[in-house]
Amino acid sequence: MAAEFSRPGSLYGAVDLGARKQALDAQARREAAGPSGAASSAAVIEVTSATFNADVVERSLSVPVIVEATMARAEQVQQFSGVMDKLAAEAAGAWLLARVDVEAEPQLAQALRMRAVPTVYLAFQGQLMPLFEGPLPEAQLRQALSQVFEQLGVEAGAPADADAADEPPVDPELLAAEQAVEKGDLDAAAAAYQRLLARSPSDEGAKIGLAGVGLLRRTQDLDEADVLRRAADASDDIDLQLQAADLEMVSGRVDEAYDRLIGLVRRTRGGDRDRVRVHLLGLFDALPGDDPSVVRSRRALANALF
C-alpha cells in the first residue's frame, strides 16, 4: 500500500535541510542570467550526486519532482521504471521524473536513507520526502501519485498551471512566509510564521518553517569547516558547539547535531545546561514531531537530564 502523505506545509528535507536556501540562491542566479539559464523541460531526468541539487532540488521550486531511486540492471524493477516513464509522459509537464541509479551512486543512496529498490520520493518547493518503497503495480502507483498531487493542488495529468482556480486555498500567512523565504527576506518570513502560530499554535508546518528560518539566520554567515574544526578542539565551548550543531542540521546531519547537544547536556550544569537544552528543543522543532530522529533524541535527552 502507498504511504500516507503529509501536507505540503510539513514536508522537510531528508537529504539536506539547507537545500531550499541553496536552491533559492541558484534560482535567483538563473533568473538574473535570463532565458539562457532556464532548466530543461524534459519529463525524465537521469540524476547523479553532482546534479542532484540542480536537477531535483532547484527544479522542485517550480514543478514537483518524483525521484525514483532504483538499480538499472535489476530486472524486477525495469517494468516499474517503464510505468514511471509512461506516467511522467502523461503528466505533460505537471511533474517531472528524476531517476537515480543507486548502484552507480552509492553515496546518494546513503544520503537518501533508502532501504529498498526502488524507493520513490517527492521533491516539492526545495524539500524532499519519501513516498513508498518497492515496485507497485500500475494501478496502485497511479493511486499513490494521484493522492500526493491532489494534496499539492496539482493535476497529475495536466500542466501544473492548469485549472489553478480549482486548487485548495492556501493560508495567507503560510503563502506570505514562503514568498518571503523565496525573496531571501528571513525577517518577513519569521513574522508571517509567528502570525500563523499566534492564530493556530498547533500548526506543525508553521513551527517547522519558523525553526528553519531560525537555522538559516544563525548559520548564513558561518564558515562550516572553520566552526566544525574549532568545535572539535573545544568540546566544552558552548557557543561553538551550538553553532556546530546548527551547521550539522542545515547540512542534513540531523543525528550528529542532536547527539552533539545531548552529549553537551551531559557535560554541563545549571544555566549552561538549560541553555543547551532549550537550543536542542528548538532543533527538534525543525522536523515533524514523529520523525524517528526526534523521537530517539527526545528519549536520549530525558535520560541525560534525569
Side-chain angles (χ1 to χ4, degrees), residues 154-284:
V154 173
E155 281 289 336
D161 57 355
D163 300 323
D166 295 330
E167 293 183 3
V170 177
D171 188 289
E173 299 296 1
L174 184 59
L175 182 60
E178 292 178 350
Q179 290 174 339
V181 170
E182 289 172 3
K183 295 175 182 176
D185 190 344
L186 299 183
D187 290 339
Y193 283 129
Q194 287 165 344
R195 289 192 298 269
L196 179 54
L197 284 170
R199 190 177 73 245
S200 181
S202 62
D203 190 301
E204 186 174 57
K207 289 180 181 178
I208 292 171
L210 186 59
V213 168
L215 270 171
L216 294 181
R217 276 174 163 172
R218 296 194 301 269
T219 58
Q220 59 186 351
D221 297 323
L222 296 178
D223 182 321
E224 180 175 359
D226 176 65
V227 170
L228 293 178
R229 176 183 56 78
R230 290 189 291 123
D233 296 329
S235 61
D236 292 326
D237 185 319
I238 293 175
D239 289 334
L240 268 178
Q241 295 303 318
L242 297 184
Q243 289 179 351
D246 283 348
L247 288 165
E248 286 167 338
M249 284 290 293
V250 167
S251 64
R253 302 196 302 276
V254 174
D255 291 329
E256 292 178 37
Y258 289 166
D259 290 345
R260 177 185 294 273
L261 296 191
I262 290 167
L264 192 55
V265 165
R266 291 193 177 100
R267 299 193 302 272
T268 50
R269 294 291 181 271
D272 286 344
R273 168 183 272 200
D274 195 54
R275 180 185 172 198
V276 177
R277 178 188 63 82
V278 170
H279 194 95
L280 178 56
L281 292 177
L283 295 188
F284 288 161

Side-chain angles (χ1 to χ4, degrees), residues 26 59 88 144 164 169 234 245 282:
R59 285 175 186 251

